[in-house]
Amino acid sequence: EFGSRLNVELHLNHQLTFKKSLKYVRSFGFMQFGEPLVYPDSNHRIGLAVNGASFASLYDIHAGETYEIKIIL
C-alpha cells in the first residue's frame, strides 16, 4: 500500500550490499529531495530511487551486476 515502509535488501553474490527501510510511494513527488524510495515504474515493476539523486551512485550499485532484491513487509 502506498505510504507504507518496506524493508529492502539487495544482495550481490549472496552478500548483503544494502539494507534499509524505504517508503513505498506513487512517485518521486511524494518524497523530499535526497530521500530514497520504492516506487512502481512505468513498466509496473518495482523501482528503487533517490529523489533528485542517483540511487546507484549513493549506494554503490553497479550496472551489469545481478542483484537479488528482497522486500520484507
Side-chain angles (χ1 to χ4, degrees):
E1 181 175 328
F2 291 120
S4 61
R5 296 199 72 81
L6 304 174
N7 296 307
V8 178
E9 294 181 358
L10 295 179
H11 297 260
L12 178 62
N13 299 322
H14 305 289
Q15 297 291 320
L16 181 66
T17 60
F18 174 87
K19 182 177 182 178
K20 196 167 183 108
S21 176
L22 304 179
K23 197 169 187 180
Y24 179 55
V25 294
R26 194 176 310 269
S27 69
F28 289 70
F30 289 89
M31 301 298 287
Q32 296 293 319
F33 184 84
E35 287 187 300
L37 58 116
V38 179
Y39 71 103
D41 72 10
S42 59
N43 293 312
H44 305 288
R45 295 179 294 195
I46 292 295
L48 303 176
V50 174
N51 190 11
S54 167
F55 186 92
S57 294
L58 285 174
Y59 296 109
D60 201 28
I61 306 298
H62 303 281
E65 299 283 357
T66 301
Y67 290 87
E68 177 184 6
I69 301 174
K70 292 183 180 180
I71 297 177
I72 301 139
L73 304 175

